[in-house]
Amino acid sequence: MKHENYDLYFPDQPVVDLYLPIWANLPAFRAKPAFVWAEDDPARTPVSSTLTYEQLNTSVQNISTQLLQLQLQKGDTVVILCPPGLELVEIIFACQRAGLIAVPVVPPHPSFATHNNHHHHLVRVLSQTKPKAAIANRNYVNALRAHTSSTNNSHGLPGLLRKIKWISTDELKGVTVKSNDISRYNGCNAHDVYLIQYTSGATSVPKPVLVTAGAAAHNVRVARKAYDLHPNSVIVSWLPMYHDCGLMFLLLTIVSGATCVLTSPAGFLNRPRLWLELISDHRATCTPVPSFTLPLVVRRGGVSEGTSSITLGTLKNLIIINEPIYKDSIEGFVKVFGPFGLNPTCVSPSYGLAENCTFVSTSWRLLCSSSGENDIINFPIFKNLLPSAKLDSSSSSSSSMEEEEIEILIVDEETHEPVSDGVEGEIWVSSPSNAAGYLDHPSLTREIFNARLRNKAAAPCFVRTGDTGVVVGEERYLYVTGRISDIIKLSGGREVHPHFIETAAYSTTCGRNTLRPGCIAAFGISGDGGSVAVVAELQGRRRGGSGAAAVEVKVLREVCEGIKVAVMDAERVSVGLVILVESGSLPKTSSGKIQRWAAKYRFERGGGADFNVVMKMAFESKH
C-alpha cells in the first residue's frame, strides 16, 4: 500500500489513537482545538466549549487508566450511554486506548418508556453485546438505579440493567496520570475489534457490526486523502456521534490533525440556521450531511432571521452522504446559497456503509466544474442522480483503486458474476476497511462479508452492500440507484425503486405546498398483485396541532389524487393507496433516513392505524 503523509517523520499509524499523542506533543498542536462543542442557547447564539489536542490526550489517558482499574480487562465490552458532547468524544477514545470494545448508544430517556425506539434499541444492544459495564453521567446512572429499584421485574430491560456494572463519568475523571505513565502504548492493536457499531436500520432491524481498529484507521486515512483534509481543515458536523459517518468523523479529525466543531442533531433540526452559523463563524472547510439536509435548509434555513451573517465561501467539501443523491436538491441549494459564497465545486457526492466502517468512495474532484453565468454544477447524471465514484476506465468490470487497495464491482446478485456497464446490479466492495462481520451471526457474516465471484475462489472476499448501482459512460461513473430490499415488484415482473415514486409524489404542486419533503414512503402491498402504497407526512400537521389541521378535506383529496397522477406520469406506476399522515409519523433512522421496511410493517400490522392518519384514499388497481 502506498502511504500519503504530511511529514516524512510522521508515518501512518496502525490505529487512530496513536495519532493523538503525536499531535499532543507537537508544540504547535498542544493548544490547538481538536474538538469544539457548540450548544445552541435560547438566545439563538451558539455557546462553545473546547478540547485542545493536549487536553484530549491527557483526558483519554486518565480515563483509560481508570477504566482498567474498575475490574475491566482488555477485550471487555462497554456500552457508552453519554449524550452528544465532548465527554462522549473523550470516552470513545479512552475505550480504544484501554483496549476495550466500545458500543456507543443513544441514551433513552431515563423513564425507559417502552414506546421509545431508543428503549428498544438499548434492549437489543444489551442482549446482543453482553457488556461488562456501561458508562453514563451521574444523573443518568442515578435515574437508572431508581428505575430498576422501583420494579421487581427480572426480565426485559430492568433485568438486563441489573446484570452490568454502571460507571459514572465522574468516577473516571477523578484520577490524574503522571506524564511518564503514557510513554508506552498498551491500547488496541490493529487486528483487535475496538468498536461494535450498529447499522442505521434503514433497511432492516439494526445489526451489530464488528469494526477492528486497523480497518477504522485505513478507512479514515483513505477518506482524509479523498477529501484532501489536513491540519488546516475545519470540520462542522451535527451528525449522530454513535455510528457511521458521525462517529468516523471523530477519528478522521484526529488522523488529519484538524479541528472539528460538533453540535447535536436535535440542535440542527430545531434550528437549521445553526449549521450555517457554525460554518460561517468557524470558517469551516468541510461538512458532512445527509442529502435531505439541503432542501430542509433551503426551506427552513432562516437566512434572514438571524443577526449574524452567513458566509460559505470557505467550504471545500460539502459531503453528501445519503444515497441515492438527486441533482435537483443540489442545484436548488447552490442556487439559494451561491450568493453567500458557496462554490459549487465543493459539492462532494459520496457513498459509504457501516459494514465498510463508513467511507467507500466519492466523486469529488473527479467531476465538479462550473460553467455559465450562474456557476451551475456541470455534473454527469443518470436518471437525475449524481455519481458517487469514478471507477477505473482501464478495466471493463472493476475499479482497482491500487493506492487504497479498494475494489468496487457491480455484480448480479443471483449469479455472483460482474455485470456489464449500463446494467444495474449489487455493489460489492473489497477493502482493508471492511469490518470483521456481524456479532454472533456467523452464517450472515459468511454471506455478506465473505462473498466471492463465481468460479473465482482465489479472488479476494467482498462485502455485499445490499445497494444497487450502475456504471455509466466512458469515464465509468458509479451511480447508487437504491437498495435491494426496498425494490417494489410490480405485476409482469417489472421492478421499481421506491425513491423514484416518492420523488414523483412530492413533485406535484399540491405536494410541494402540503407534504414534507423527504418524509414519503412507498412500498408494495403484500399479496395485492403488485399494488403500491404511498404514505406521506403533511407539513405542520401534528397531533393536537393547528395550522395544517384546518386543511379542508377537498384539498387533501386533491393531494391524494395528484400523487396518483404524478406517479403514473413520471414512472408509469399505478398507486393503489395513498395515506396522508401527521408530521413525525413515519419511522426514521437517527440520521433521518426513512425506514420503508418499518413503515410497511406498521401498515401490514394495522392498516395504517399506527401512522396518525389524516386521510386514507384507495384507488382501483390497474396493473
Side-chain angles (χ1 to χ4, degrees):
M1 175 178 177
K2 298 179 182 179
H3 297 286
E4 174 261 339
N5 298 302
Y6 300 108
D7 191 313
L8 294 176
Y9 298 99
F10 181 33
D12 286 334
Q13 302 298 318
V15 298
V16 173
D17 185 41
L18 281 170
Y19 288 85
L20 184 52
I22 294 175
W23 293 121
N25 288 303
L26 290 175
F29 281 82
R30 288 172 185 163
K32 177 183 177 179
F35 294 98
V36 178
W37 176 257
E39 191 74 49
D40 202 23
D41 74 355
R44 293 195 167 189
T45 55
V47 178
S48 300
S49 52
T50 301
L51 269 177
T52 67
Y53 272 92
E54 185 176 44
Q55 290 170 337
L56 177 60
N57 184 59
T58 301
S59 176
V60 165
Q61 185 62 34
N62 290 343
I63 294 172
S64 65
T65 300
Q66 185 71 348
L67 282 170
L68 294 177
Q69 293 176 355
L70 293 171
Q71 300 176 350
L72 293 175
Q73 299 179 351
K74 289 185 67 172
D76 285 347
T77 299
V78 176
V79 169
I80 305 173
L81 284 163
C82 297
L86 297 183
E87 192 170 70
L88 176 58
V89 175
E90 294 173 289
I91 300 298
I92 288 173
F93 279 101
C95 285
Q96 182 171 124
R97 189 166 296 184
L100 302 172
I101 301 174
V103 193
V105 178
V106 178
H109 189 276
S111 66
F112 297 107
T114 57
H115 65 273
N116 189 301
N117 286 336
H118 298 319
H119 165 97
H120 295 300
H121 184 58
L122 180 58
V123 172
R124 183 184 304 116
V125 168
L126 297 179
S127 300
Q128 294 176 339
T129 66
K130 300 177 177 61
K132 292 290 183 65
I135 303 172
N137 63 46
R138 177 183 293 173
N139 291 337
Y140 196 86
V141 173
N142 290 339
L144 177 141
R145 287 171 176 161
H147 172 76
T148 55
S149 63
S150 65
T151 175
N152 294 322
N153 186 3
S154 60
H155 303 286
L157 184 58
L160 292 169
L161 295 176
R162 291 192 185 100
K163 291 180 181 178
I164 57 179
K165 177 181 178 62
W166 283 88
I167 302 173
S168 166
T169 53
D170 293 342
E171 298 178 58
L172 300 177
K173 294 188 175 183
V175 174
T176 300
V177 179
K178 296 180 180 180
S179 59
N180 58 4
D181 290 334
I182 63 174
S183 59
R184 184 178 178 182
Y185 185 78
N186 292 311
C188 286
N189 297 314
H191 64 272
D192 292 337
V193 172
Y194 92 101
L195 171 73
I196 300 176
Q197 73 165 349
Y198 276 76
T199 57
S200 67
T203 59
S204 63
V205 174
K207 295 183 286 293
V209 179
L210 301 171
V211 179
T212 65
H218 175 271
N219 196 251
V220 292
R221 284 199 303 266
V222 172
R224 176 188 68 182
K225 183 175 180 181
Y227 298 124
D228 193 24
L229 299 182
H230 47 75
N232 289 329
S233 297
V234 178
I235 301 163
V236 166
S237 173
W238 54 263
L239 297 175
M241 300 160 60
Y242 301 93
H243 70 119
D244 269 13
C245 194
L247 175 58
M248 288 301 162
F249 258 86
L250 304 182
L251 309 185
L252 184 55
T253 298
I254 299 303
V255 167
S256 306
T259 295
C260 184
V261 182
L262 299 163
T263 193
S264 69
F268 164 74
L269 293 173
N270 181 58
R271 192 170 73 91
R273 195 182 199 273
L274 173 63
W275 176 57
L276 302 174
E277 291 173 356
L278 294 178
I279 293 172
S280 304
D281 295 345
H282 294 272
R283 299 183 61 80
T285 61
C286 175
T287 184
V289 292
S291 56
F292 76 81
T293 300
L294 304 187
L296 173 66
V297 173
V298 167
R299 193 175 74 256
R300 291 182 51 218
V303 173
S304 60
E305 296 175 4
T307 57
S308 60
S309 60
I310 301 300
T311 305
L312 306 181
T314 58
L315 275 181
K316 304 298 182 185
N317 290 102
L318 175 57
I319 300 172
I320 316 298
I321 60 173
N322 269 22
E323 70 285 334
I325 302 170
Y326 277 85
K327 183 180 182 181
D328 290 348
S329 63
I330 304 294
E331 288 189 326
F333 188 82
V334 170
K335 182 178 180 181
V336 171
F337 289 98
F340 295 88
L342 181 71
N343 189 334
T345 62
C346 77
V347 176
S348 311
S350 303
Y351 173 60
L353 69 160
E355 286 84 352
N356 189 66
C357 290
T358 291
F359 176 81
V360 173
S361 63
T362 180
S363 51
W364 181 65
R365 290 195 295 181
L366 300 176
L367 54 80
C368 291
S369 63
S370 59
S371 61
E373 297 180 357
N374 296 322
D375 205 29
I376 299 298
I377 304 171
N378 186 26
F379 280 121
I381 61 171
F382 173 77
K383 294 185 177 180
N384 203 33
L385 302 178
L386 300 185
S388 297
K390 182 183 177 186
L391 305 191
D392 186 358
S393 59
S394 65
S395 169
S396 61
S397 63
S398 71
S399 167
S400 180
M401 303 177 182
E402 295 181 359
E403 291 188 2
E404 295 84 11
E405 301 176 8
I406 298 173
E407 188 173 12
I408 302 174
L409 296 176
I410 308 298
V411 178
D412 185 299
E413 61 173 303
E414 295 183 358
T415 67
H416 291 192
E417 295 177 325
V419 301
S420 302
D421 286 2
V423 177
E424 186 176 271
E426 184 178 13
I427 301 173
W428 286 21
V429 178
S430 176
S431 168
S433 296
N434 288 355
Y438 296 121
L439 174 66
D440 291 338
H441 285 76
S443 60
L444 191 60
T445 294
R446 286 192 297 271
E447 178 186 351
I448 301 300
F449 290 87
N450 299 324
R452 294 184 186 274
L453 296 174
R454 185 177 182 182
N455 299 325
K456 291 190 177 181
C461 290
F462 288 82
V463 163
R464 298 185 61 175
T465 68
D467 295 317
T468 58
V470 61
V471 176
V472 178
E474 293 183 2
E475 294 183 301
R476 307 197 70 242
Y477 285 115
L478 168 65
Y479 298 83
V480 181
T481 54
R483 298 183 176 91
I484 293 173
S485 61
D486 284 341
I487 290 175
I488 299 173
K489 297 182 178 181
L490 305 173
S491 58
R494 184 185 166 203
E495 297 181 343
V496 63
H497 288 290
H499 63 84
F500 289 121
I501 295 174
E502 294 156 3
T503 300
Y506 179 72
S507 66
T508 66
T509 302
C510 288
R512 290 184 181 277
N513 294 332
T514 312
L515 305 179
R516 294 185 70 200
C519 298
I520 304 174
F523 49 85
I525 301 175
S526 300
D528 197 18
S531 184
V532 174
V534 175
V535 182
E537 292 187 5
L538 293 169
Q539 291 187 27
R541 176 68 183 255
R542 291 189 179 275
R543 182 179 293 276
S546 57
V551 173
E552 296 181 0
V553 172
K554 178 181 177 182
V555 174
L556 297 179
R557 289 180 63 88
E558 289 175 354
V559 172
C560 294
E561 292 165 352
I563 288 174
K564 176 176 175 60
V565 172
V567 172
M568 175 57 72
D569 289 346
E571 301 299 328
R572 309 311 299 170
V573 172
S574 179
V575 173
L577 179 67
V578 175
I579 305 176
L580 303 181
V581 299
E582 295 179 351
S583 176
S585 295
L586 281 171
K588 295 181 180 179
T589 69
S590 60
S591 61
K593 298 178 183 177
I594 292 291
Q595 295 174 303
R596 299 183 184 95
W597 67 273
K600 181 176 181 178
Y601 172 77
R602 287 189 185 182
F603 170 79
E604 292 180 340
R605 182 180 62 181
D610 292 341
F611 287 129
N612 300 324
V613 175
V614 178
M615 174 168 284
K616 183 176 179 181
M617 181 176 289
F619 300 95
E620 182 181 351
S621 297
K622 296 180 180 179
H623 305 311

